[in-house]
Amino acid sequence: MPHTQLPSLNPETSSRVSWWWAVAILYFLSGLSSLAFEVLWARMLSMQFGVSIFGVVLTVAAFMIGLGLGSLAGVRWAKLCNKPLTIFAVLETAIALYALLLPNLLHSVSGWMESIAVQLSLVQWYLLQGAEALCLLVIPAFAMGVGFALMLKVVERTPLSLGKLYGLNTIGGAVGALFPLWSLPLLGWTVSVRIVALLGLAVGGTAFALSCFTRSGDSPLQPVENNRPPRPPLLALIIYAGIGAGSIMLEVGWIRLYGMILLRTEYVLGVILAVFLLGIALGSMFLPRLHKYWMSAFMPFVVGGGVLLSLWLLPDASAWVERSQFQSLFGALWSQALMLGIFTLPITLALGAWLPLLAGRFGGAEASGAWLYGANCLGGGVGAVVACLVGIPLFGSVAMVALAGLAITALGLMWVKSRWAWLGFAVMMLLAWPLRNMPPVHKLLPQIEANSRDLSLYEDAISLTHVVRQQDGQRILLSDLQRMDASTDPSAVRIQMNQARLALLLHPAPHSILFLGLGTGISMAGSLPFPGLQRNAVELSQGAILAARNWFAPVNDNIMDQAQIQRDDARHFLNTTQQNFDVIVGDLFHPDLAGMGSLLSVQQFQRAHNHLNANGIFVQWLALNQFDIRSLNVVLRSFRQVFPDAQMFMDGMHLALVGPRQNFSGRNAMLGNLSRLSIQEQGAVTGGEGAWTWLGRYWGPISESVGPVQDEWVPYIEFNLPRARYDGSVNLAALLQWLLQQRSEVSTAMKILGVEEEQKNEFGRAYMATELAVRGWLASIQGDDEKSGRLIWLAYQANSKDHWIADGLADNMLSSLPLASQHGLSERDALQRILKIDPNHTGALRSLLHLERSAGNKQEAEYYRLRLLSISPLDDEANGLQSLL
């Protein structure tokens, strides 16, 4: 791009020109603060929109629309302005002050909005929130857009070309996208905003000082007469707006796809955004120096071809991530950022080069650059909304990314005067056709899900949900590809059903229950034996709701026909519902994923507390293998802050945090609950394990401790857990050892639970059995199988009714089956002994089925096949043998 001829550099001129690098540094810092504000405000909106992409998309849309309108308005203002740097300083200062006032403004507006939210559907609520976001965020973004036009005026007679200025600002934006990853876990949302606002104030103050310094004498700040056209042709603006829309659709699609294969943690989202911005910045700064005809002719194909190639290689990228072993979070992020750069850098380089190239083509930086930038940003705002509301739901992420790449290619070719180029576009369309569907799970996860088959895929802006049939016929529910929410495996079914059983057993007479999270519906099915129960569930993912109804009905007993399902975010539902419940159950989820940590916050626990009836119980389940000791302590402190009489129970490898609205009743509540039921009903509601087994799983009260809590505005666990996974802190053995140290003595447990002295033997045996089982599991994790076997056997001797203990012992017996003959037992006798320990042991039933088939005993084989199907109705082998027996 040609530059205006500079005067000869005498010492005075050289000193003056050197200040323009100070201006460039200021605009770099301005980009840093702008993107840091955008990321922080996106998190703020996610507090209202819930765990979905809507908060991010609306923030992007509001910013892009504001930037576009501001840039277009700034073209005229910059032309009339004699002191552009002074006005820029005022705008930067105003943006920083607005950011400081925004939290208080949001609290005021949110209070009014929540008061009317009861009358709104989820869609209406999102529309209202969207209007709020646009109104509040367009204002600062508009000022930022005006600042772009003003800065073009400031640097017009300096070595800083449009490409360099835009590139430096965008590099600052990439740094700003990463800043919240450091500040949020250490300082929280409010302090982070204040720090960025202080940076904005410093930029504004320094810009004002520079403006005063250059005010006297012959200064480039004075208006420059030129005969450039006021704006590029309208068609060029429309085309470039379309390219902006396609670019943001690519960004949204990449966040979904790469966030899916890299796991959607807060860190990965920041890295994706930073890599995207860095590529655009480098393309803007360096590519315009290349041959312009070559660039204009090949840039559309670089974008389109790069997009298609990245989609073709998506399964390979996913498989690489699945195989990779990283030693630290930094190493993982660096490696993954490098992979993202390889996949996306050619595309973003071309996208960044377009602005300075087109500005030079249509008359120069000041007017043309601002017009083009404004049109591109407006198109980007529209593209963000279209991607969220139309592209992903209608076409899916993969197809939307492919269509966006083709659209950018077609729009770019409108500037290429060659018919042969359109022939190349036709070839690209043919290459894009196989990419209309997302690759199957077994290709994306060739190790974990090898030989699986996709049954269902539902995708919208909130989540991507797979139902996958594994090789043995069992079905699993995957959210965002790698997050397994639930399985139909019999042991997994028991885990899920127990979530409802424990919560309901701890209430003296439950009549209503609310599940925060539906999953497959199997958890809710655990409530079916309780008579006269009103069942409610809140689930944000439409894919999960459809999967529970259409794919998991054989194992959830068609629970969807016996419950009220509300599609909503759990936080929004609890903020707006007028209902109270006897029991509320917080489902298992992955707390290290972006947005999920807020479901374990003090505020969320308080919302649940507010919707409990007088004797109500709230139970939040945690998967122990997902936590390190420090993060678990944060959750425990947060829970205890809301529920001072909070208690812990252990069920398998899951910890239940039990929060009573009033006082914890323990034994009295459970036995009172069971006393109103028949013997048969008592067996059903306890899962055949009896009241003492459940009371024996009591672990102790949540002790008071000092340290941070999980706060929606000062998040902790979603930033700590990804680091802990790589540095070895997420260690199940260490966590179990720590929990064993926290467990109450038998006498203390009896006092808290209200167990009477004459019941000490029954309770004590169950209580000790649970601890022996946990110690046995710990020994197994540590590789001491002999010790583990002894402890599990002792646990079974103490309480044979505990299914986890019986199952563990049966597993040990099955693994030692080849040694049965040494004890004078036939294989059939050994397997029968296993079934006496655990009548529902699928491994033993399957072995007996094979044994009887081999012996030609069809009647006996059919008996075991039917028993296996009663436990595991989707078992592929048992279903397949029906026609052979």
Side-chain angles (χ1 to χ4, degrees), residues 283-432:
S284 174
M285 295 175 70
F286 299 112
L287 286 192
R289 299 179 181 181
L290 301 178
H291 192 278
K292 291 185 179 179
Y293 177 78
W294 183 91
M295 288 295 298
S296 61
F298 287 94
M299 273 173 48
F301 292 108
V302 170
V303 174
V307 168
L308 297 184
L309 182 61
S310 70
L311 294 177
W312 277 108
L313 296 177
L314 185 66
D316 299 298
S318 181
W320 173 78
V321 173
E322 185 188 28
R323 293 191 305 267
S324 300
Q325 298 291 327
F326 302 106
Q327 301 303 314
S328 67
L329 177 62
F330 178 80
L333 292 177
W334 176 253
S335 300
Q336 293 171 4
L338 185 61
M339 184 204 72
L340 286 171
I342 294 172
F343 277 65
T344 65
L345 191 59
I347 305 164
T348 53
L349 285 172
L351 293 174
W354 245 315
L355 178 61
L357 284 172
L358 291 176
R361 180 174 181 176
F362 293 117
E366 181 188 338
S368 295
W371 276 101
L372 289 164
Y373 178 78
N376 187 261
C377 288
L378 285 175
V382 174
V385 176
V386 170
C388 181
L389 300 182
V390 180
I392 292 178
L394 191 60
F395 304 109
S397 297
V398 171
M400 185 194 72
V401 168
L403 288 173
L406 290 175
I408 294 173
T409 302
L411 291 168
L413 288 177
M414 296 181 72
W415 285 311
V416 178
K417 298 179 181 179
S418 172
R419 295 181 179 179
W420 292 104
W422 289 101
L423 180 60
F425 178 72
V427 173
M428 284 183 56
M429 292 182 67
L430 292 175
L431 293 175

Side-chain angles (χ1 to χ4, degrees), residues 37 100 189-199:
F37 278 138
L100 292 174
W189 188 84
T190 303
V191 176
S192 297
V193 169
R194 289 173 181 171
I195 290 176
V196 180
L198 288 176
L199 176 62

Side-chain angles (χ1 to χ4, degrees), residues 576-708:
T576 58
T577 184
Q578 300 298 307
Q579 292 180 272
N580 285 345
F581 305 90
D582 292 328
V583 175
I584 300 178
V585 178
D587 200 2
L588 291 165
F589 52 85
H590 294 249
D592 58 333
L593 299 187
M596 289 290 186
S598 60
L599 296 175
L600 296 177
S601 66
V602 172
Q603 291 87 344
Q604 177 66 1
F605 294 151
Q606 187 63 56
R607 294 182 190 110
H609 180 278
N610 294 342
H611 288 282
L612 289 172
N613 288 323
N615 293 320
I617 290 286
F618 172 55
V619 177
Q620 176 64 60
W621 287 93
L622 305 175
L624 292 176
N625 63 333
Q626 296 174 349
F627 287 89
D628 66 325
I629 296 174
R630 182 182 299 177
S631 298
L632 181 59
N633 259 317
V634 169
V635 178
L636 296 180
R637 279 192 293 269
S638 305
F639 196 84
R640 192 182 187 278
Q641 182 170 313
V642 178
F643 298 96
D645 199 16
Q647 310 293 325
M648 294 184 291
F649 281 73
M650 182 86 83
D651 181 55
M653 289 296 173
H654 296 87
L655 191 66
L657 310 185
V658 178
R661 182 174 176 84
Q662 297 176 346
N663 297 322
F664 180 65
S665 300
R667 163 201 168 276
N668 292 335
M670 187 174 294
L671 296 184
N673 188 342
L674 294 175
S675 66
R676 65 194 180 96
L677 306 176
S678 67
I679 299 298
Q680 185 177 1
E681 287 175 328
Q682 290 180 25
V685 299
T686 62
E689 297 181 286
W692 293 113
T693 295
W694 281 102
L695 288 170
R697 288 170 178 158
Y698 175 71
W699 205 257
I702 297 179
S703 303
E704 185 176 4
S705 62
V706 178

